[in-house]
mmCIF file of all heavy atoms in Angstrom:
data_model
loop_
_atom_site.group_PDB
_atom_site.id
_atom_site.type_symbol
_atom_site.label_atom_id
_atom_site.label_comp_id
_atom_site.label_asym_id
_atom_site.label_seq_id
_atom_site.Cartn_x
_atom_site.Cartn_y
_atom_site.Cartn_z
ATOM 1 N N LEU A 96 7.002 18.609 26.965
ATOM 2 C CA LEU A 96 7.005 19.025 25.594
ATOM 3 C C LEU A 96 6.794 20.503 25.341
ATOM 4 O O LEU A 96 7.423 21.108 24.670
ATOM 5 C CB LEU A 96 5.885 18.216 24.825
ATOM 6 C CG LEU A 96 5.748 18.549 23.325
ATOM 7 C CD1 LEU A 96 7.031 18.343 22.640
ATOM 8 C CD2 LEU A 96 4.523 17.741 22.682
ATOM 9 N N GLN A 97 5.898 21.122 26.208
ATOM 10 C CA GLN A 97 5.715 22.589 26.150
ATOM 11 C C GLN A 97 6.980 23.363 26.570
ATOM 12 O O GLN A 97 7.297 24.323 25.836
ATOM 13 C CB GLN A 97 4.591 22.984 27.171
ATOM 14 C CG GLN A 97 3.204 22.417 26.622
ATOM 15 C CD GLN A 97 2.148 22.556 27.570
ATOM 16 O OE1 GLN A 97 2.394 22.442 28.943
ATOM 17 N NE2 GLN A 97 0.881 23.065 27.162
ATOM 18 N N PHE A 98 7.698 22.905 27.560
ATOM 19 C CA PHE A 98 8.915 23.483 27.977
ATOM 20 C C PHE A 98 10.004 23.396 26.838
ATOM 21 O O PHE A 98 10.644 24.279 26.549
ATOM 22 C CB PHE A 98 9.532 22.999 29.233
ATOM 23 C CG PHE A 98 8.731 23.413 30.534
ATOM 24 C CD1 PHE A 98 8.626 22.581 31.601
ATOM 25 C CD2 PHE A 98 8.011 24.648 30.588
ATOM 26 C CE1 PHE A 98 7.907 22.973 32.725
ATOM 27 C CE2 PHE A 98 7.395 25.090 31.817
ATOM 28 C CZ PHE A 98 7.335 24.224 32.779
ATOM 29 N N PHE A 99 10.042 22.220 26.223
ATOM 30 C CA PHE A 99 10.950 22.015 25.242
ATOM 31 C C PHE A 99 10.766 22.858 24.043
ATOM 32 O O PHE A 99 11.645 23.579 23.535
ATOM 33 C CB PHE A 99 10.814 20.523 24.744
ATOM 34 C CG PHE A 99 11.657 20.108 23.543
ATOM 35 C CD1 PHE A 99 12.993 19.847 23.723
ATOM 36 C CD2 PHE A 99 11.111 19.985 22.294
ATOM 37 C CE1 PHE A 99 13.724 19.407 22.682
ATOM 38 C CE2 PHE A 99 11.850 19.694 21.142
ATOM 39 C CZ PHE A 99 13.200 19.269 21.357
ATOM 40 N N LEU A 100 9.488 23.038 23.469
ATOM 41 C CA LEU A 100 9.157 23.965 22.468
ATOM 42 C C LEU A 100 9.364 25.378 22.865
ATOM 43 O O LEU A 100 9.971 26.258 22.050
ATOM 44 C CB LEU A 100 7.690 23.671 21.948
ATOM 45 C CG LEU A 100 7.413 22.393 21.402
ATOM 46 C CD1 LEU A 100 5.940 22.193 21.082
ATOM 47 C CD2 LEU A 100 8.254 22.137 20.220
ATOM 48 N N SER A 101 9.085 25.851 24.119
ATOM 49 C CA SER A 101 9.240 27.248 24.611
ATOM 50 C C SER A 101 10.689 27.534 24.619
ATOM 51 O O SER A 101 11.071 28.630 24.201
ATOM 52 C CB SER A 101 8.597 27.313 25.997
ATOM 53 O OG SER A 101 7.140 27.290 25.918
ATOM 54 N N ASP A 102 11.531 26.544 25.086
ATOM 55 C CA ASP A 102 12.989 26.855 25.113
ATOM 56 C C ASP A 102 13.540 27.198 23.683
ATOM 57 O O ASP A 102 14.271 28.096 23.474
ATOM 58 C CB ASP A 102 13.718 25.672 25.658
ATOM 59 C CG ASP A 102 13.690 25.711 27.227
ATOM 60 O OD1 ASP A 102 13.200 26.629 27.799
ATOM 61 O OD2 ASP A 102 14.078 24.645 27.833
ATOM 62 N N LEU A 103 13.056 26.306 22.800
ATOM 63 C CA LEU A 103 13.578 26.566 21.408
ATOM 64 C C LEU A 103 12.971 27.851 20.804
ATOM 65 O O LEU A 103 13.768 28.553 20.131
ATOM 66 C CB LEU A 103 13.093 25.338 20.473
ATOM 67 C CG LEU A 103 13.672 23.955 20.708
ATOM 68 C CD1 LEU A 103 12.977 22.804 19.959
ATOM 69 C CD2 LEU A 103 15.227 24.055 20.407
ATOM 70 N N GLU A 104 11.708 28.193 21.031
ATOM 71 C CA GLU A 104 11.252 29.495 20.577
ATOM 72 C C GLU A 104 11.949 30.646 21.209
ATOM 73 O O GLU A 104 12.117 31.672 20.557
ATOM 74 C CB GLU A 104 9.682 29.581 20.984
ATOM 75 C CG GLU A 104 8.869 28.673 20.131
ATOM 76 C CD GLU A 104 7.454 28.586 20.667
ATOM 77 O OE1 GLU A 104 7.207 28.743 21.841
ATOM 78 O OE2 GLU A 104 6.587 28.311 19.861
ATOM 79 N N ASN A 105 12.466 30.502 22.409
ATOM 80 C CA ASN A 105 13.199 31.559 23.079
ATOM 81 C C ASN A 105 14.606 31.571 22.851
ATOM 82 O O ASN A 105 15.350 32.412 23.429
ATOM 83 C CB ASN A 105 12.925 31.471 24.626
ATOM 84 C CG ASN A 105 11.420 31.755 24.953
ATOM 85 O OD1 ASN A 105 10.837 32.623 24.436
ATOM 86 N ND2 ASN A 105 10.844 31.043 25.949
ATOM 87 N N GLY A 106 15.093 30.838 21.873
ATOM 88 C CA GLY A 106 16.440 30.750 21.472
ATOM 89 C C GLY A 106 17.378 30.020 22.374
ATOM 90 O O GLY A 106 18.650 30.227 22.270
ATOM 91 N N TYR A 107 16.805 28.947 23.152
ATOM 92 C CA TYR A 107 17.694 28.255 23.939
ATOM 93 C C TYR A 107 17.784 26.842 23.351
ATOM 94 O O TYR A 107 16.936 26.387 22.559
ATOM 95 C CB TYR A 107 17.091 28.047 25.470
ATOM 96 C CG TYR A 107 17.026 29.302 26.104
ATOM 97 C CD1 TYR A 107 15.777 29.893 26.241
ATOM 98 C CD2 TYR A 107 18.119 30.119 26.426
ATOM 99 C CE1 TYR A 107 15.617 31.042 27.119
ATOM 100 C CE2 TYR A 107 17.915 31.367 27.197
ATOM 101 C CZ TYR A 107 16.758 31.825 27.495
ATOM 102 O OH TYR A 107 16.579 33.000 28.139
ATOM 103 N N SER A 108 18.887 26.174 23.693
ATOM 104 C CA SER A 108 19.008 24.738 23.372
ATOM 105 C C SER A 108 18.009 24.048 24.335
ATOM 106 O O SER A 108 17.661 24.464 25.389
ATOM 107 C CB SER A 108 20.375 24.112 23.564
ATOM 108 O OG SER A 108 21.307 24.899 22.685
ATOM 109 N N ALA A 109 17.467 22.896 23.809
ATOM 110 C CA ALA A 109 16.546 22.138 24.650
ATOM 111 C C ALA A 109 16.674 20.630 24.597
ATOM 112 O O ALA A 109 17.255 20.085 23.708
ATOM 113 C CB ALA A 109 15.065 22.512 24.123
ATOM 114 N N ALA A 110 16.259 19.986 25.664
ATOM 115 C CA ALA A 110 16.388 18.545 25.661
ATOM 116 C C ALA A 110 14.987 17.935 26.113
ATOM 117 O O ALA A 110 14.205 18.560 26.882
ATOM 118 C CB ALA A 110 17.402 18.149 26.698
ATOM 119 N N LEU A 111 14.716 16.759 25.608
ATOM 120 C CA LEU A 111 13.507 16.084 25.848
ATOM 121 C C LEU A 111 13.685 14.547 25.852
ATOM 122 O O LEU A 111 14.513 14.075 25.182
ATOM 123 C CB LEU A 111 12.530 16.437 24.789
ATOM 124 C CG LEU A 111 11.145 15.909 24.982
ATOM 125 C CD1 LEU A 111 10.369 16.430 26.116
ATOM 126 C CD2 LEU A 111 10.233 16.224 23.734
ATOM 127 N N THR A 112 13.092 13.897 26.827
ATOM 128 C CA THR A 112 13.241 12.420 26.835
ATOM 129 C C THR A 112 11.888 11.854 26.419
ATOM 130 O O THR A 112 10.778 12.148 26.802
ATOM 131 C CB THR A 112 13.501 11.906 28.234
ATOM 132 O OG1 THR A 112 14.826 12.448 28.733
ATOM 133 C CG2 THR A 112 13.659 10.345 28.310
ATOM 134 N N ILE A 113 11.990 10.900 25.316
ATOM 135 C CA ILE A 113 10.882 10.378 24.710
ATOM 136 C C ILE A 113 11.037 8.901 24.722
ATOM 137 O O ILE A 113 12.024 8.449 23.980
ATOM 138 C CB ILE A 113 10.661 10.908 23.251
ATOM 139 C CG1 ILE A 113 10.593 12.326 23.185
ATOM 140 C CG2 ILE A 113 9.408 10.209 22.656
ATOM 141 C CD1 ILE A 113 10.597 12.956 21.786
ATOM 142 N N GLY A 114 10.188 8.141 25.354
ATOM 143 C CA GLY A 114 10.243 6.720 25.352
ATOM 144 C C GLY A 114 11.693 6.136 25.792
ATOM 145 O O GLY A 114 12.106 5.166 25.141
#
Side-chain angles (χ1 to χ4, degrees):
L96 181 58
Q97 289 170 324
F98 287 150
F99 177 79
L100 295 175
S101 292
D102 284 350
L103 291 172
E104 286 171 334
N105 293 322
Y107 300 111
S108 297
L111 182 67
T112 301
I113 305 169

